[in-house]
Amino acid sequence: MNILFVTSTRIGDAVLSTCLLSHLIEKYPSASFTVACGPLPASLFEAVPGVERVIAVQKQRFAGHWLSLWATVVSTPWDIVVDLRASALAWTLRACSRKTLRSNDEGGTIHRVVELGKLFNLTPPPDTKLWLSDGAIGEADSVMPVDTPVIGLGVTANWLPKIWPAQNFVALAARLTGIHGIFPAARIAVFGAEEERALAQPVLDGIAEAQGLDLVGQKSLPIVAACLSKCDLFVGNDSGLMHMAAAVETPTIGLFGPSPAIRYGPWGKHCTAVESSEPYAELVGGACFNHRSTENLMGGLSVEAVEQAAHDLCAEIARDRHG
């Protein structure tokens, strides 16, 4: 059985789509999967059971990447084609069944995972999932401490308006790891891509050298996922890293302002979103709003609110553990 799974170019959306991929793997355990996605998330699919090929689709002028992908997969008779990019690809291939997603989320009022689940009538939808290879886990073991708790911080994002100020991350880390914090003396692992180092450096500079772990651009994405799985808590901006943390079942707090938590909050058990006191609609509704601007729009989210969310999440985990 051959299944073609076409998903996003962006890390976060690709991770969210794993709710469907995990469903298909469970339903068709002997199937052979081909995953087509952007170059950035491609390595996250290499350890997925049943995936025999990952095609990194590099964007080309005049939508030439779709023609290249078609040429690569047209000779295979597909049992199922799942196209989450709403392209015409699925209808030009030999396939017994086709599932294509055209967004109809009623103005962003339902979560993306719920929307994806509706494609296969999955209510509730499965959780997102990242599969970790033994090699990635081994690399993470060599980096992450084993004798002390670790809090992961995702201090970057793909556009500046939704990045929580660096000084807030530093203050939060001090509160959570202080003598009266919920993780006294915990290590702080700072995550981000190498090209985001300028954004992450103020946070690294604000954390004591003996306490901080600099994981900015240090490892490949699968190893980053394995490192995230070893964190006791992750706090981060709305980003691919946030969705990765949730997908490896790390308790996750997502920070939201000019992006909708109801649509893109971290998905899964022991995940929560904390929103700015300034409503999303007001932050993005102004005539001058531009997501590519240099203006930060996360000032309405206080350190106290995020700290309280961490306390509440840890209390929830403790209740679950003790029945």
Side-chain angles (χ1 to χ4, degrees), residues 11 33 49 54 69-70 74 77-79 83 88 107 112 128 183 198 235 239 255 281 317 323:
I11 294 171
F33 289 82
V54 179
L69 177 58
W70 177 85
V74 68
W78 300 100
D79 292 277
D83 181 7
R112 174 68 170 175
T128 60
F183 291 105
V235 182
S239 66
L255 311 179
I317 294 169

Side-chain angles (χ1 to χ4, degrees), residues 41-285:
S43 60
L44 291 175
F45 294 97
E46 292 173 353
V48 179
V51 170
E52 295 193 357
R53 187 176 187 184
V54 179
I55 303 172
V57 181
Q58 184 70 54
K59 189 172 183 179
Q60 301 173 25
R61 295 179 63 189
F62 309 115
H65 48 286
W66 289 116
L67 182 59
S68 296
L69 177 58
W70 177 85
T72 302
V73 301
V74 68
S75 63
T76 301
W78 300 100
D79 292 277
I80 302 174
V81 174
V82 179
D83 181 7
L84 305 182
R85 299 288 303 281
S87 73
L89 178 72
W91 306 102
T92 65
L93 300 175
R94 290 176 293 167
C96 298
S97 174
R98 300 172 180 86
K99 294 286 187 178
T100 61
L101 181 70
R102 289 192 178 277
S103 183
N104 184 24
D105 69 337
E106 302 174 7
T109 58
I110 65 171
H111 199 281
R112 174 68 170 175
V113 170
V114 175
E115 180 185 39
L116 290 168
K118 288 183 176 182
L119 194 62
F120 284 87
N121 299 316
L122 303 175
T123 305
D127 286 343
T128 60
K129 180 180 178 64
L130 290 180
W131 294 261
L132 305 176
S133 69
D134 291 340
I137 293 171
E139 287 284 340
D141 286 338
S142 70
V143 173
M144 302 294 283
V146 296
D147 57 350
T148 185
V150 179
I151 298 174
L153 298 181
V155 301
T156 65
N158 60 342
W159 38 284
L160 187 60
K162 63 179 181 177
I163 297 177
W164 207 37
Q167 65 268 25
N168 288 5
F169 277 109
V170 173
L172 177 70
R175 293 187 183 202
L176 296 181
T177 64
I179 189 170
H180 298 298
I182 52 179
F183 291 105
R187 300 289 298 276
I188 303 295
V190 179
F191 293 88
E194 182 56 44
E195 60 269 22
E196 299 171 324
R197 178 163 290 279
L199 294 170
Q201 196 60 51
V203 179
L204 290 164
D205 292 342
I207 297 171
E209 185 175 353
Q211 184 184 26
L213 290 169
D214 181 356
L215 295 180
V216 178
Q218 300 291 323
K219 301 294 179 182
S220 68
L221 218 51
I223 297 173
V224 169
C227 289
L228 287 168
S229 75
K230 297 182 179 298
C231 292
D232 296 88
L233 176 69
F234 177 87
V235 182
N237 302 310
D238 174 20
S239 66
L241 279 170
M242 178 198 72
H243 292 300
M244 288 173 61
V248 294
E249 300 183 346
T250 293
T252 298
I253 298 174
L255 311 179
F256 284 80
S259 58
I262 193 171
R263 177 72 167 158
Y264 289 112
W267 183 269
K269 192 174 183 181
H270 300 150
C271 292
T272 189
V274 191
E275 298 182 79
S276 169
S277 60
E278 301 174 79
Y280 163 73
E282 291 183 12
L283 288 171
V284 304

